[in-house]
Amino acid sequence: DAGITQSPRHKVTETGTPVTLRCHQTENHRYMYWYRQDPGHGLRLIHYSYGVKDTDKGEVSDGYSVSRSKTEDFLLTLESATSSQTSVYFCAISERQIGVTEAFFGQGTRLTVV
Amino acid sequence: KQEVTQIPAALSVPEGENLVLNCSFTDSAIYNLQWFRQDPGKGLTSLLLIQSSQREQTSGRLNASLDKSSGRSTLYIAASQPGDSATYLCAVEVRGGGSEKLVFGKGTKLTVNP
């Protein structure tokens, strides 16, 4: 398995509180991604990073921010959590090798906003 | 905008049956296509990756094909087993503006009955 660790694995938080999810990789891959997975919507890209301090928005970035100060860590922050952000969050990493990019996923963080 | 569709959304088959899962995408300008497996409450496990220049890839009882011109891929599972029960997702890699991203279908939930 690719060395990807997400923390925490489960979290319950109250509406309006800030929440930070962490993704840590040991593969030294350039690209890191945050997805959310919801019934009926599948996996949707929130934000991604293509290098240290290089990040960009995905298709559902509103209400989320990210930071990548080191190659191995990619943080996802919900500045003020809302019930609509209750979801399962997945981190992924990828690296282009010999023209081929293969993605690997973490085990997910189940976030409940009450 | 790239869109990925997987049909059917759910499939139930008896053990031992050969089956085909379908994936279609709207924009043929893809770089790779990747098939994943997801067990309930777990992360995604990469099964097969097909480069855009390839027609198919095989791993054990799994065979994935790719027809870029028609925007279609299939995942063939031979001699299905109850342990194959899971959700199968396909994702296409798109590139642009120096970034690389995966666009996912919503998955096919497979149940193999003993």
Side-chain angles (χ1 to χ4, degrees), chain B residues 20-73:
Chain B
V20 174
L21 307 181
N22 297 294
C23 172
S24 62
F25 45 95
T26 55
D27 187 346
S28 62
I30 67 168
Y31 285 83
N32 304 306
L33 185 144
Q34 201 166 348
W35 281 93
F36 294 88
R37 169 186 171 136
Q38 186 177 29
D39 293 291
K42 304 292 185 182
L44 280 70
T45 300
S46 180
L47 295 174
L48 289 165
L49 181 147
I50 310 177
Q51 299 178 50
S52 60
S53 59
Q54 297 176 323
R55 298 283 293 182
E56 65 178 319
Q57 280 285 345
T58 298
S59 176
R61 294 182 294 108
L62 305 180
N63 176 276
S65 68
L66 174 63
D67 184 341
K68 271 187 63 176
S69 61
S70 66
R72 301 175 70 173
S73 176

Side-chain angles (χ1 to χ4, degrees), chain A residues 31 33 37 40 96 100 102, chain B residues 34 38 46 51 98 100 106:
Chain A
Y31 285 90
Y33 309 83
Q37 187 175 39
R96 191 185 305 180
V100 178
E102 186 168 6
Chain B
Q34 201 166 348
Q38 186 177 29
S46 180
Q51 299 178 50
E100 302 175 356
K106 295 180 180 179

Side-chain angles (χ1 to χ4, degrees), chain A residues 8 11 17 29 32 48 70 72-73 99:
Chain A
K11 186 171 182 66
T17 61
H29 280 11
M32 298 186 76
Y48 63 97
K70 298 184 290 184
E72 58 265 36
D73 289 325

Side-chain angles (χ1 to χ4, degrees), chain A residues 56-110:
Chain A
D56 205 349
K57 297 178 180 180
E59 61 179 307
V60 290
S61 58
D62 288 348
Y64 302 94
S65 62
V66 291
S67 66
R68 191 170 179 197
S69 59
K70 298 184 290 184
T71 298
E72 58 265 36
D73 289 325
F74 193 32
L75 304 180
L76 176 70
T77 298
L78 291 65
E79 300 291 346
S80 177
T82 66
S83 59
S84 64
Q85 293 176 312
T86 292
S87 185
V88 181
Y89 292 85
F90 287 99
C91 173
I93 64 173
S94 69
E95 183 69 67
R96 191 185 305 180
Q97 296 177 342
I98 318 176
V100 178
T101 303
E102 186 168 6
F104 301 94
F105 280 74
Q107 290 300 298
T109 294
R110 183 173 295 275

Side-chain angles (χ1 to χ4, degrees), chain A residues 30 32 48-56 66 68 74:
Chain A
R30 178 184 175 196
M32 298 186 76
Y48 63 97
S49 169
Y50 46 95
V52 173
K53 297 185 180 179
D54 291 324
T55 64
D56 205 349
V66 291
R68 191 170 179 197
F74 193 32

